Amino acid sequence: MIAFAIAKRIFIQMFRDKRTLALMWFAPLMLFTLMYFLFTSSGTDTTYKVGVYNLNPEIVENLEANHMKATVFSSEEHVAESIKNNQLVAFIAQEDAGPIDITYENSAPAKSAVVRAKLQAAIIKLQLGALTSLAQQAVAANPSLAQAVPQQPAINELYLYGEEDSDYFTTISPILLGFFVFFLVFLISGMALLRERTTGTLDKILAAPVRRFEIIGGYLLGYGFFAFIQTLLLVEFVVHVLHVAVAGSLALVMLITFLSALLALSFGVLLSTFAASEFQMVQFIPVVIIPQIFFSGIIEVGTLAEWLQFLAKFMPLYYIGNALQSVMIKGGTLGDIGNDLLAIVLFISIFTGLNVLGLKRYRKI
């Protein structure tokens, strides 16, 4: 068949183009590894520097026991200069028994929030210590009060999904997996067909007695093979090298990822028909790819406005991210992700059909 002949030619071209193969097969591994270390290396042991003036020593002690480095100042004058010169996250001052005044550096609001939470925890710990001391004194004076003091019950924590040490990377790893496959296949397939069009290869194919669906089928078959290899490499690398937990079936993860690659392939080929150069192809990325990232699960879609939730239904990455999260985090089965898979297959069918119709721009067969 003509489709197999086109696919064979693509095989030969791709195996000769080592740079494209490296981009398609090994770039996702490096990107995923980088994201893994970026998110997992930021532990909870980060120390924050704060300046204190006339603060209760017990509060200072509680702060330092909670990953805070307190520098004691003899004056609360020139707070701004003290923060800048000593690279402080905040300056905490108190006038005798008066209120506590906090000045935050606040170039990174997240750090300010951490200091605020740790200071509140230190104050609460001080108050609880005082209450406990009073309670012990009261019980010592009147032992019958011991029965009136409620005992703290034991707390047993159970998790429906994930483990106690699950981190943010565990949540976004399915989304990253789907996105890297989708983006790179989209870019490579679109550029490849565009190059064939601009170099005249596509015109030569169209000059032969071949049907449009055979041409598109050949491209999907040829690049689909390399997308399948990419899926195997990336999923195996993520699971067995980076040890990302998969609660559900690994075969389902591979199926979703492969369908994501086919979707990106058909989408990239479609958009390449509207681009006259590689630069125009790149210009599509901020229009059709980047907006989808925000609906892929990075931001909880259920918390968005209703019209944005409705808009998410038209984003392919929404279904890809949802399906991968269901399987990898929640242990979902084929029945649980059936609607997402149906939507992905529907997108592939629509884009493939539009690709066949799009070839009419170059020749009517």
Side-chain angles (χ1 to χ4, degrees), residues 342-357:
L342 182 61
I344 294 173
V345 172
L346 182 61
F347 273 114
I348 295 174
S349 303
I350 292 173
F351 291 150
T352 302
L354 292 175
N355 277 318
V356 174
L357 294 176

Side-chain angles (χ1 to χ4, degrees), residues 189-191 193-194 197 267-275 281 362:
S189 61
M191 290 289 191
L193 185 61
L194 180 61
R197 223 181 62 233
F267 192 35
V269 170
L270 174 64
L271 290 185
S272 70
T273 62
F274 300 98
M281 187 65 192
Y362 306 103

Side-chain angles (χ1 to χ4, degrees), residues 84 159 185 188 193 196 226 235 250 259 287 306-307 317 329 346 352 363:
K84 293 177 182 178
Y159 299 88
V185 172
I188 292 172
L193 185 61
E196 296 216 338
F226 294 97
V235 173
L250 187 60
L259 288 177
V287 178
E306 291 187 3
W307 69 273
L317 275 177
I329 297 178
L346 182 61
T352 302
R363 194 198 70 172

Side-chain angles (χ1 to χ4, degrees), residues 31-72:
L31 288 173
F32 214 99
T33 302
L34 177 61
M35 297 295 287
Y36 172 79
F37 285 111
L38 284 175
F39 283 103
T40 58
S41 62
S42 57
T44 58
D45 296 337
T46 304
T47 301
Y48 297 90
K49 295 176 61 178
V50 296
V52 298
Y53 167 72
N54 199 35
L55 193 62
N56 189 313
E58 293 187 42
I59 296 179
V60 176
E61 183 180 347
N62 292 337
L63 287 174
E64 292 184 332
N66 199 14
H67 305 295
M68 301 280 284
K69 183 180 180 180
T71 302
V72 180

Side-chain angles (χ1 to χ4, degrees), residues 21 32 87 113 123-124 131 219 236 320 327 361:
L21 280 181
F32 214 99
Q87 298 181 340
I123 295 174
I124 292 174
L131 291 175
Y219 282 113
E236 290 293 329
I320 294 171
V327 175
R361 298 182 57 188

